[in-house]
Amino acid sequence: MKKIKLISALLGAVITFTVSAENAFNFYSVTDFGYYPKSDVVSGGTHFAPLAGPYDGVELQETLKAVYTIPTPGNNFLTEGNRIALEGALSITPISLTPKLSFFYTPVAFLNLSAGAEIGTGWKFLGIKSMSCYDPEEAEYKQQDPFGTYFYKLWACPTIMFDLAAVWPGEWHHVVAVASWEFNYSALAGADDDDDIFQWQTTPGKKAGAGLSQNYILGYQMPYKLNLVGLKFNVDGYINSNIDDQYRKYKIDYKTYSLAGVFSIQFTEKDSLFGLIEFRTKRSYEEFSKYHDSGKMEYEPLMDYSGHEWYFQRIGFSYTHKF
């Protein structure tokens, strides 16, 4: 058996697949949970928003995966254990359903190339909207019809990986660095207004267009059940700012930054847990009286962007079980 480490975009997790030297099917269940405290709202410039309460929401997602692995030829330190992997997945949340297809290829030990597509639909549940278009006249996200409107995303991602133990052998020398750049295109198909701002799942302020998500991880691997601790830095945003003039001051091409402490626990060969504590930026505004007085995030696209608001976003966990 040979372990192959693969960086996953899902919750920023580091997932370790264990595959044999032969072609193999593996099946996984991945359960993601996020807890979000409530942050204050502060106007103007770049600043840190203090906590305003212990609770602002939770997220839960279950993903079932089937992975078919094909080892590729090679018997040196750059090519041994490399492979092609084909993955089919179905992600389920209380407000959405999303099938996914992905392809992974490791030509050399330090490089992984991947691409994929997903299409999903969503509905309103307990007052939570999942797939909705923004109506500026009413300052409201309006839920779209499930199975009549679909969110879709296409992506391609090169990932570069480095392990200090490759040049300085030793079980305590695993200082790892990972960098990935995901180029993507996402939109709503069948929406009321294809050019408008929309919300997918619980993320508002999205638009149809090309984006780039950059992930950087610096970690230390140990020969214990707690096998990884590290830091993760992310930059995420749209590549262009094409949007209706009425949203020009909202800055639709705003880049989101996040910094997280991460850890991984390998309970058994089949069970692992990835966790993070994450700080993130969102837009700050010149004015926020409507937002502050009404508590409605729906007013944000009509406001004037003025900088970054750093805040404590979430505590997240991703539990993986291999069948």
Side-chain angles (χ1 to χ4, degrees), residues 184-245:
N184 57 68
Y185 183 90
S186 61
L188 285 185
D192 290 341
D193 189 341
D194 294 336
D195 297 324
D196 211 345
I197 291 174
F198 67 90
Q199 174 179 320
W200 167 239
Q201 294 178 333
T202 57
T203 304
K206 301 178 72 70
K207 76 174 188 76
L212 172 61
S213 180
Q214 306 171 57
N215 283 279
Y216 306 95
I217 297 176
L218 179 63
Y220 181 61
Q221 289 185 313
M222 301 165 288
Y224 292 133
K225 289 187 180 296
L226 176 62
N227 62 358
L228 174 73
V229 293
L231 290 173
K232 173 179 174 290
F233 180 68
N234 170 266
V235 184
D236 193 15
Y238 290 102
I239 295 175
N240 61 66
S241 58
N242 295 332
I243 196 67
D244 193 288
D245 283 342

Side-chain angles (χ1 to χ4, degrees), residues 125-146:
F125 179 68
L126 297 179
I128 302 173
K129 300 172 185 177
S130 59
M131 186 178 58
S132 50
C133 288
Y134 189 70
D135 182 349
E137 298 298 326
E138 299 185 25
E140 180 182 2
Y141 284 93
K142 293 191 173 181
Q143 178 67 38
Q144 302 295 291
D145 294 332

Side-chain angles (χ1 to χ4, degrees), residues 3 11 15 28 73 97 134 136 151 155-156 193 196 206 233 240 255 271 282 317:
K3 289 186 178 180
L11 259 183
I15 298 176
Y28 301 86
L97 183 70
Y134 189 70
F151 171 82
W155 59 272
D193 189 341
D196 211 345
K206 301 178 72 70
F233 180 68
N240 61 66
K255 299 294 187 295
D271 295 276
K282 59 184 177 182
F317 299 97

Side-chain angles (χ1 to χ4, degrees), residues 10-29:
L10 180 61
L11 259 183
V14 179
I15 298 176
T16 302
F17 292 108
T18 303
V19 299
S20 68
E22 304 296 331
N23 294 10
F25 260 118
N26 288 294
F27 299 92
Y28 301 86
S29 167

Side-chain angles (χ1 to χ4, degrees), residues 14-240:
V14 179
I15 298 176
T16 302
F17 292 108
T18 303
V19 299
S20 68
E22 304 296 331
N23 294 10
F25 260 118
N26 288 294
F27 299 92
Y28 301 86
S29 167
V30 182
T31 303
D32 297 312
F33 174 80
Y35 165 76
Y36 296 77
K38 187 176 181 61
S39 295
D40 203 355
V41 179
V42 182
S43 63
T46 297
H47 54 266
F48 182 81
L51 290 176
Y55 177 79
D56 194 38
V58 295
E59 286 186 340
L60 181 65
Q61 176 175 268
E62 176 66 25
T63 302
L64 301 175
K65 297 183 177 184
V67 182
Y68 184 63
T69 305
I70 307 170
T72 56
N75 56 9
N76 59 55
F77 76 100
L78 286 176
T79 59
E80 184 180 4
N82 293 349
R83 80 282 181 253
I84 294 171
L86 306 175
E87 178 184 291
L90 178 65
S91 293
I92 305 167
T93 77
I95 56 173
S96 65
L97 183 70
T98 311
K100 305 175 181 180
L101 289 174
S102 304
F103 168 84
F104 303 91
Y105 173 49
T106 307
V108 291
F110 58 84
L111 175 65
N112 179 266
L113 303 174
S114 57
E118 63 184 73
I119 184 167
T121 193
W123 48 87
K124 188 175 180 178
F125 179 68
L126 297 179
I128 302 173
K129 300 172 185 177
S130 59
M131 186 178 58
S132 50
C133 288
Y134 189 70
D135 182 349
E137 298 298 326
E138 299 185 25
E140 180 182 2
Y141 284 93
K142 293 191 173 181
Q143 178 67 38
Q144 302 295 291
D145 294 332
F147 302 103
T149 306
Y150 296 89
F151 171 82
Y152 67 92
K153 178 180 176 181
L154 308 172
W155 59 272
C157 180
T159 299
I160 297 174
M161 300 166 280
F162 172 77
D163 186 347
L164 182 62
V167 295
W168 185 23
E171 64 177 2
W172 292 100
H173 299 168
H174 289 282
V175 177
V176 295
V178 180
S180 66
W181 300 267
E182 180 192 282
F183 298 88
N184 57 68
Y185 183 90
S186 61
L188 285 185
D192 290 341
D193 189 341
D194 294 336
D195 297 324
D196 211 345
I197 291 174
F198 67 90
Q199 174 179 320
W200 167 239
Q201 294 178 333
T202 57
T203 304
K206 301 178 72 70
K207 76 174 188 76
L212 172 61
S213 180
Q214 306 171 57
N215 283 279
Y216 306 95
I217 297 176
L218 179 63
Y220 181 61
Q221 289 185 313
M222 301 165 288
Y224 292 133
K225 289 187 180 296
L226 176 62
N227 62 358
L228 174 73
V229 293
L231 290 173
K232 173 179 174 290
F233 180 68
N234 170 266
V235 184
D236 193 15
Y238 290 102
I239 295 175
N240 61 66

